[in-house]
PDB file of all heavy atoms in Angstrom:
ATOM      1  N   ILE W1340       3.341   9.206  -5.732  1.00  0.00           N
ATOM      2  CA  ILE W1340       2.263   8.276  -6.074  1.00  0.00           C
ATOM      3  C   ILE W1340       1.714   8.611  -7.458  1.00  0.00           C
ATOM      4  O   ILE W1340       1.461   7.714  -8.267  1.00  0.00           O
ATOM      5  CB  ILE W1340       1.159   8.291  -4.990  1.00  0.00           C
ATOM      6  CG1 ILE W1340       1.744   7.780  -3.658  1.00  0.00           C
ATOM      7  CG2 ILE W1340      -0.043   7.456  -5.425  1.00  0.00           C
ATOM      8  CD1 ILE W1340       0.840   7.977  -2.459  1.00  0.00           C
ATOM      9  N   ALA W1341       1.577   9.898  -7.760  1.00  0.00           N
ATOM     10  CA  ALA W1341       1.101  10.314  -9.080  1.00  0.00           C
ATOM     11  C   ALA W1341       2.078   9.885 -10.172  1.00  0.00           C
ATOM     12  O   ALA W1341       1.661   9.418 -11.240  1.00  0.00           O
ATOM     13  CB  ALA W1341       0.894  11.824  -9.116  1.00  0.00           C
ATOM     14  N   ALA W1342       3.377  10.012  -9.917  1.00  0.00           N
ATOM     15  CA  ALA W1342       4.379   9.614 -10.916  1.00  0.00           C
ATOM     16  C   ALA W1342       4.332   8.107 -11.173  1.00  0.00           C
ATOM     17  O   ALA W1342       4.493   7.664 -12.309  1.00  0.00           O
ATOM     18  CB  ALA W1342       5.779  10.030 -10.443  1.00  0.00           C
ATOM     19  N   LEU W1343       4.113   7.342 -10.126  1.00  0.00           N
ATOM     20  CA  LEU W1343       4.100   5.884 -10.247  1.00  0.00           C
ATOM     21  C   LEU W1343       2.775   5.339 -10.763  1.00  0.00           C
ATOM     22  O   LEU W1343       2.740   4.441 -11.609  1.00  0.00           O
ATOM     23  CB  LEU W1343       4.415   5.251  -8.885  1.00  0.00           C
ATOM     24  CG  LEU W1343       4.444   3.728  -8.822  1.00  0.00           C
ATOM     25  CD1 LEU W1343       5.600   3.174  -9.656  1.00  0.00           C
ATOM     26  CD2 LEU W1343       4.553   3.271  -7.377  1.00  0.00           C
ATOM     27  N   LEU W1344       1.665   5.879 -10.247  1.00  0.00           N
ATOM     28  CA  LEU W1344       0.349   5.287 -10.506  1.00  0.00           C
ATOM     29  C   LEU W1344      -0.602   6.154 -11.322  1.00  0.00           C
ATOM     30  O   LEU W1344      -1.670   5.699 -11.708  1.00  0.00           O
ATOM     31  CB  LEU W1344      -0.331   4.945  -9.175  1.00  0.00           C
ATOM     32  CG  LEU W1344       0.437   4.024  -8.229  1.00  0.00           C
ATOM     33  CD1 LEU W1344      -0.279   3.916  -6.895  1.00  0.00           C
ATOM     34  CD2 LEU W1344       0.639   2.664  -8.869  1.00  0.00           C
ATOM     35  N   GLY W1345      -0.245   7.424 -11.512  1.00  0.00           N
ATOM     36  CA  GLY W1345      -1.145   8.323 -12.224  1.00  0.00           C
ATOM     37  C   GLY W1345      -2.342   8.736 -11.386  1.00  0.00           C
ATOM     38  O   GLY W1345      -3.363   9.166 -11.913  1.00  0.00           O
ATOM     39  N   ILE W1346      -2.230   8.603 -10.059  1.00  0.00           N
ATOM     40  CA  ILE W1346      -3.303   8.945  -9.124  1.00  0.00           C
ATOM     41  C   ILE W1346      -2.770  10.007  -8.171  1.00  0.00           C
ATOM     42  O   ILE W1346      -1.653   9.878  -7.670  1.00  0.00           O
ATOM     43  CB  ILE W1346      -3.726   7.710  -8.294  1.00  0.00           C
ATOM     44  CG1 ILE W1346      -4.389   6.676  -9.197  1.00  0.00           C
ATOM     45  CG2 ILE W1346      -4.640   8.095  -7.138  1.00  0.00           C
ATOM     46  CD1 ILE W1346      -4.659   5.355  -8.503  1.00  0.00           C
ATOM     47  N   ASN W1347      -3.563  11.029  -7.913  1.00  0.00           N
ATOM     48  CA  ASN W1347      -3.177  12.050  -6.943  1.00  0.00           C
ATOM     49  C   ASN W1347      -4.043  11.870  -5.697  1.00  0.00           C
ATOM     50  O   ASN W1347      -5.132  12.436  -5.606  1.00  0.00           O
ATOM     51  CB  ASN W1347      -3.331  13.453  -7.528  1.00  0.00           C
ATOM     52  CG  ASN W1347      -2.759  14.505  -6.601  1.00  0.00           C
ATOM     53  OD1 ASN W1347      -1.948  14.207  -5.736  1.00  0.00           O
ATOM     54  ND2 ASN W1347      -3.194  15.739  -6.791  1.00  0.00           N
ATOM     55  N   PRO W1348      -3.572  11.081  -4.736  1.00  0.00           N
ATOM     56  CA  PRO W1348      -4.398  10.797  -3.560  1.00  0.00           C
ATOM     57  C   PRO W1348      -4.493  11.987  -2.612  1.00  0.00           C
ATOM     58  O   PRO W1348      -3.634  12.868  -2.604  1.00  0.00           O
ATOM     59  CB  PRO W1348      -3.653   9.638  -2.890  1.00  0.00           C
ATOM     60  CG  PRO W1348      -2.234   9.868  -3.275  1.00  0.00           C
ATOM     61  CD  PRO W1348      -2.273  10.440  -4.665  1.00  0.00           C
ATOM     62  N   ALA W1349      -5.540  11.986  -1.806  1.00  0.00           N
ATOM     63  CA  ALA W1349      -5.688  12.990  -0.760  1.00  0.00           C
ATOM     64  C   ALA W1349      -4.647  12.733   0.326  1.00  0.00           C
ATOM     65  O   ALA W1349      -4.114  11.621   0.449  1.00  0.00           O
ATOM     66  CB  ALA W1349      -7.096  12.903  -0.157  1.00  0.00           C
ATOM     67  N   GLN W1350      -4.380  13.745   1.126  1.00  0.00           N
ATOM     68  CA  GLN W1350      -3.466  13.562   2.244  1.00  0.00           C
ATOM     69  C   GLN W1350      -4.041  12.496   3.180  1.00  0.00           C
ATOM     70  O   GLN W1350      -5.217  12.518   3.503  1.00  0.00           O
ATOM     71  CB  GLN W1350      -3.240  14.880   2.969  1.00  0.00           C
ATOM     72  CG  GLN W1350      -2.480  15.886   2.097  1.00  0.00           C
ATOM     73  CD  GLN W1350      -2.145  17.158   2.824  1.00  0.00           C
ATOM     74  OE1 GLN W1350      -1.016  17.341   3.247  1.00  0.00           O
ATOM     75  NE2 GLN W1350      -3.126  18.033   2.960  1.00  0.00           N
ATOM     76  N   GLY W1351      -3.208  11.541   3.542  1.00  0.00           N
ATOM     77  CA  GLY W1351      -3.636  10.457   4.415  1.00  0.00           C
ATOM     78  C   GLY W1351      -4.275   9.279   3.707  1.00  0.00           C
ATOM     79  O   GLY W1351      -4.567   8.267   4.332  1.00  0.00           O
ATOM     80  N   GLU W1352      -4.478   9.368   2.413  1.00  0.00           N
ATOM     81  CA  GLU W1352      -5.115   8.284   1.657  1.00  0.00           C
ATOM     82  C   GLU W1352      -4.110   7.190   1.302  1.00  0.00           C
ATOM     83  O   GLU W1352      -2.936   7.462   1.051  1.00  0.00           O
ATOM     84  CB  GLU W1352      -5.730   8.833   0.367  1.00  0.00           C
ATOM     85  CG  GLU W1352      -6.502   7.803  -0.432  1.00  0.00           C
ATOM     86  CD  GLU W1352      -7.182   8.368  -1.668  1.00  0.00           C
ATOM     87  OE1 GLU W1352      -7.053   9.579  -1.945  1.00  0.00           O
ATOM     88  OE2 GLU W1352      -7.835   7.582  -2.374  1.00  0.00           O
ATOM     89  N   MET W1353      -4.587   5.952   1.275  1.00  0.00           N
ATOM     90  CA  MET W1353      -3.783   4.807   0.857  1.00  0.00           C
ATOM     91  C   MET W1353      -4.266   4.319  -0.503  1.00  0.00           C
ATOM     92  O   MET W1353      -5.467   4.303  -0.767  1.00  0.00           O
ATOM     93  CB  MET W1353      -3.915   3.651   1.842  1.00  0.00           C
ATOM     94  CG  MET W1353      -3.205   3.838   3.123  1.00  0.00           C
ATOM     95  SD  MET W1353      -3.322   2.299   4.078  1.00  0.00           S
ATOM     96  CE  MET W1353      -3.063   2.970   5.705  1.00  0.00           C
ATOM     97  N   VAL W1354      -3.316   3.896  -1.317  1.00  0.00           N
ATOM     98  CA  VAL W1354      -3.613   3.272  -2.597  1.00  0.00           C
ATOM     99  C   VAL W1354      -2.991   1.875  -2.534  1.00  0.00           C
ATOM    100  O   VAL W1354      -1.778   1.729  -2.452  1.00  0.00           O
ATOM    101  CB  VAL W1354      -3.039   4.067  -3.783  1.00  0.00           C
ATOM    102  CG1 VAL W1354      -3.399   3.395  -5.104  1.00  0.00           C
ATOM    103  CG2 VAL W1354      -3.534   5.522  -3.753  1.00  0.00           C
ATOM    104  N   VAL W1355      -3.844   0.867  -2.522  1.00  0.00           N
ATOM    105  CA  VAL W1355      -3.388  -0.512  -2.424  1.00  0.00           C
ATOM    106  C   VAL W1355      -3.132  -1.027  -3.832  1.00  0.00           C
ATOM    107  O   VAL W1355      -3.984  -0.882  -4.717  1.00  0.00           O
ATOM    108  CB  VAL W1355      -4.431  -1.394  -1.704  1.00  0.00           C
ATOM    109  CG1 VAL W1355      -3.958  -2.841  -1.621  1.00  0.00           C
ATOM    110  CG2 VAL W1355      -4.726  -0.829  -0.314  1.00  0.00           C
ATOM    111  N   VAL W1356      -1.951  -1.618  -4.029  1.00  0.00           N
ATOM    112  CA  VAL W1356      -1.579  -2.119  -5.351  1.00  0.00           C
ATOM    113  C   VAL W1356      -1.176  -3.579  -5.279  1.00  0.00           C
ATOM    114  O   VAL W1356      -0.813  -4.094  -4.217  1.00  0.00           O
ATOM    115  CB  VAL W1356      -0.420  -1.296  -5.974  1.00  0.00           C
ATOM    116  CG1 VAL W1356      -0.794   0.165  -6.127  1.00  0.00           C
ATOM    117  CG2 VAL W1356       0.862  -1.450  -5.177  1.00  0.00           C
ATOM    118  N   ARG W1357      -1.247  -4.209  -6.424  1.00  0.00           N
ATOM    119  CA  ARG W1357      -0.685  -5.548  -6.630  1.00  0.00           C
ATOM    120  C   ARG W1357       0.413  -5.378  -7.662  1.00  0.00           C
ATOM    121  O   ARG W1357       0.229  -4.662  -8.654  1.00  0.00           O
ATOM    122  CB  ARG W1357      -1.749  -6.504  -7.153  1.00  0.00           C
ATOM    123  CG  ARG W1357      -2.775  -6.864  -6.116  1.00  0.00           C
ATOM    124  CD  ARG W1357      -3.654  -8.029  -6.620  1.00  0.00           C
ATOM    125  NE  ARG W1357      -4.581  -8.415  -5.588  1.00  0.00           N
ATOM    126  CZ  ARG W1357      -5.799  -7.890  -5.423  1.00  0.00           C
ATOM    127  NH1 ARG W1357      -6.227  -6.952  -6.240  1.00  0.00           N
ATOM    128  NH2 ARG W1357      -6.586  -8.311  -4.451  1.00  0.00           N
ATOM    129  N   ALA W1358       1.522  -6.031  -7.432  1.00  0.00           N
ATOM    130  CA  ALA W1358       2.625  -5.941  -8.389  1.00  0.00           C
ATOM    131  C   ALA W1358       2.427  -6.960  -9.500  1.00  0.00           C
ATOM    132  O   ALA W1358       2.261  -8.149  -9.241  1.00  0.00           O
ATOM    133  CB  ALA W1358       3.957  -6.171  -7.692  1.00  0.00           C
ATOM    134  N   GLY W1359       2.433  -6.465 -10.720  1.00  0.00           N
ATOM    135  CA  GLY W1359       2.324  -7.345 -11.870  1.00  0.00           C
ATOM    136  C   GLY W1359       3.702  -7.669 -12.420  1.00  0.00           C
ATOM    137  O   GLY W1359       4.714  -7.519 -11.729  1.00  0.00           O
ATOM    138  N   ASP W1360       3.750  -8.070 -13.663  1.00  0.00           N
ATOM    139  CA  ASP W1360       5.016  -8.408 -14.313  1.00  0.00           C
ATOM    140  C   ASP W1360       5.967  -7.222 -14.280  1.00  0.00           C
ATOM    141  O   ASP W1360       5.569  -6.090 -14.562  1.00  0.00           O
ATOM    142  CB  ASP W1360       4.779  -8.835 -15.762  1.00  0.00           C
ATOM    143  CG  ASP W1360       4.015 -10.144 -15.856  1.00  0.00           C
ATOM    144  OD1 ASP W1360       4.056 -10.920 -14.865  1.00  0.00           O
ATOM    145  OD2 ASP W1360       3.379 -10.385 -16.888  1.00  0.00           O
ATOM    146  N   GLY W1361       7.213  -7.490 -13.916  1.00  0.00           N
ATOM    147  CA  GLY W1361       8.229  -6.442 -13.883  1.00  0.00           C
ATOM    148  C   GLY W1361       7.984  -5.397 -12.827  1.00  0.00           C
ATOM    149  O   GLY W1361       8.561  -4.320 -12.876  1.00  0.00           O
ATOM    150  N   GLY W1362       7.106  -5.692 -11.863  1.00  0.00           N
ATOM    151  CA  GLY W1362       6.811  -4.735 -10.809  1.00  0.00           C
ATOM    152  C   GLY W1362       5.793  -3.683 -11.213  1.00  0.00           C
ATOM    153  O   GLY W1362       5.536  -2.751 -10.451  1.00  0.00           O
ATOM    154  N   GLU W1363       5.222  -3.824 -12.387  1.00  0.00           N
ATOM    155  CA  GLU W1363       4.223  -2.847 -12.834  1.00  0.00           C
ATOM    156  C   GLU W1363       3.030  -2.904 -11.881  1.00  0.00           C
ATOM    157  O   GLU W1363       2.370  -3.934 -11.763  1.00  0.00           O
ATOM    158  CB  GLU W1363       3.777  -3.157 -14.260  1.00  0.00           C
ATOM    159  CG  GLU W1363       3.040  -2.039 -14.934  1.00  0.00           C
ATOM    160  CD  GLU W1363       3.846  -0.762 -15.102  1.00  0.00           C
ATOM    161  OE1 GLU W1363       5.039  -0.834 -15.443  1.00  0.00           O
ATOM    162  OE2 GLU W1363       3.262   0.305 -14.889  1.00  0.00           O
ATOM    163  N   PRO W1364       2.746  -1.817 -11.163  1.00  0.00           N
ATOM    164  CA  PRO W1364       1.679  -1.850 -10.165  1.00  0.00           C
ATOM    165  C   PRO W1364       0.287  -1.733 -10.784  1.00  0.00           C
ATOM    166  O   PRO W1364       0.082  -0.979 -11.729  1.00  0.00           O
ATOM    167  CB  PRO W1364       1.985  -0.644  -9.285  1.00  0.00           C
ATOM    168  CG  PRO W1364       2.739   0.290 -10.167  1.00  0.00           C
ATOM    169  CD  PRO W1364       3.488  -0.562 -11.165  1.00  0.00           C
ATOM    170  N   ALA W1365      -0.636  -2.492 -10.230  1.00  0.00           N
ATOM    171  CA  ALA W1365      -2.039  -2.412 -10.613  1.00  0.00           C
ATOM    172  C   ALA W1365      -2.823  -2.006  -9.367  1.00  0.00           C
ATOM    173  O   ALA W1365      -2.695  -2.638  -8.315  1.00  0.00           O
ATOM    174  CB  ALA W1365      -2.530  -3.756 -11.131  1.00  0.00           C
ATOM    175  N   VAL W1366      -3.606  -0.971  -9.475  1.00  0.00           N
ATOM    176  CA  VAL W1366      -4.367  -0.472  -8.327  1.00  0.00           C
ATOM    177  C   VAL W1366      -5.488  -1.441  -7.997  1.00  0.00           C
ATOM    178  O   VAL W1366      -6.299  -1.792  -8.855  1.00  0.00           O
ATOM    179  CB  VAL W1366      -4.927   0.938  -8.607  1.00  0.00           C
ATOM    180  CG1 VAL W1366      -5.818   1.412  -7.467  1.00  0.00           C
ATOM    181  CG2 VAL W1366      -3.788   1.927  -8.843  1.00  0.00           C
TER     182      VAL W1366
END
Side-chain angles (χ1 to χ4, degrees):
I1340 296 170
L1343 180 66
L1344 304 173
I1346 293 172
N1347 188 20
Q1350 293 185 102
E1352 184 177 1
M1353 286 186 203
V1354 181
V1355 179
V1356 300
R1357 289 191 177 89
D1360 293 337
E1363 195 62 41
V1366 175

